[in-house]
Amino acid sequence: MKFNSFSRLAVTLTLLCATAFSPFLISAAKADSTPLVKVAQSDARLEKLEALMFDYVNAEREKAGLKPLLFDSALSEVARAHSVEMRDKTYFAHESPTAALRDPLDRYRLGFGSSPRLVAENIFRSWGSRHEIVDADAKKAHDSLINSPGHKANILRNGPTRIGIGFIANANGDLWVTQMFSKP
């Protein structure tokens, strides 16, 4: 599917916003500035948080009479890469400082080699004093997103069919979370 400027604007408008180390790399950023596109999850604690958040999102959708989203592991790898980049480049935004990964549509295209019919993104960050990562961190992130009108709109949007969730942490237990919603 080709995107003209109007189509790109329409997809971009679906991107409602809100408010260490990385042993999880599949495609690493190279010295020649090749952008990080996908990150596998190898931390069982964070994998559990991703699964919990997936259940929370679909419970909200069920309450609203919407179809559940399918968990997409490849979309999660793209979401995780954005979480890693935010952590490693010390920013918190939907817009990346990496030109090839400027917005969620760019990240999707690089990760999948195609353009989706719809893509949307939610991001969350939790930081502060050092703490152990626990299941309640997923609930805290979900509650924050569902209580934000823009994030809630993405969670309860009727168009997406898939979700990818990427939790990344640093040594202090600070979390960066990216949810990507898509309709391929």
Side-chain angles (χ1 to χ4, degrees), residues 111-147:
F112 288 92
S114 65
S115 294
R117 290 186 271 173
L118 180 143
V119 66
E121 179 179 81
N122 288 341
I123 58 175
F124 171 83
R125 181 169 177 210
S126 173
W127 68 97
S129 60
R130 184 178 201 88
H131 83 281
E132 185 69 27
I133 295 171
V134 295
D135 293 356
D137 290 323
K139 182 72 169 136
K140 177 182 174 185
H142 172 75
D143 288 347
S144 177
L145 294 171
I146 202 66
N147 289 314

Side-chain angles (χ1 to χ4, degrees), residues 52-69 139 141-147 151-157 163 179 181:
L52 287 168
M53 181 171 271
F54 172 70
D55 291 342
Y56 296 144
V57 166
N58 275 334
E60 295 289 345
R61 291 179 64 80
E62 184 180 336
K63 282 193 294 188
L66 297 168
K67 290 182 181 178
L69 298 173
K139 182 72 169 136
H142 172 75
D143 288 347
S144 177
L145 294 171
I146 202 66
N147 289 314
H151 292 106
K152 183 176 184 175
N154 279 342
I155 291 169
L156 299 180
R157 185 177 300 278
I163 187 172
Q179 293 177 328
F181 304 85

Side-chain angles (χ1 to χ4, degrees), residues 24 26 36-42 46-47 49-51 53-54 70-84 107-108 111-112 121 162-168 176-182:
F24 318 117
I26 285 181
L36 178 66
V37 177
K38 292 186 176 183
V39 174
Q41 185 62 271
S42 63
L46 299 178
E47 185 175 33
L49 296 183
E50 291 171 355
M53 181 171 271
F54 172 70
L70 300 174
F71 184 81
D72 186 321
S73 59
L75 194 57
S76 290
E77 290 174 352
V78 173
R80 258 183 240 114
H82 185 58
S83 293
V84 166
R107 294 188 281 279
Y108 185 98
F112 288 92
E121 179 179 81
R162 301 180 180 281
I163 187 172
I165 301 169
F167 272 78
I168 293 296
W176 289 258
V177 182
T178 303
Q179 293 177 328
M180 288 190 80
F181 304 85
S182 76

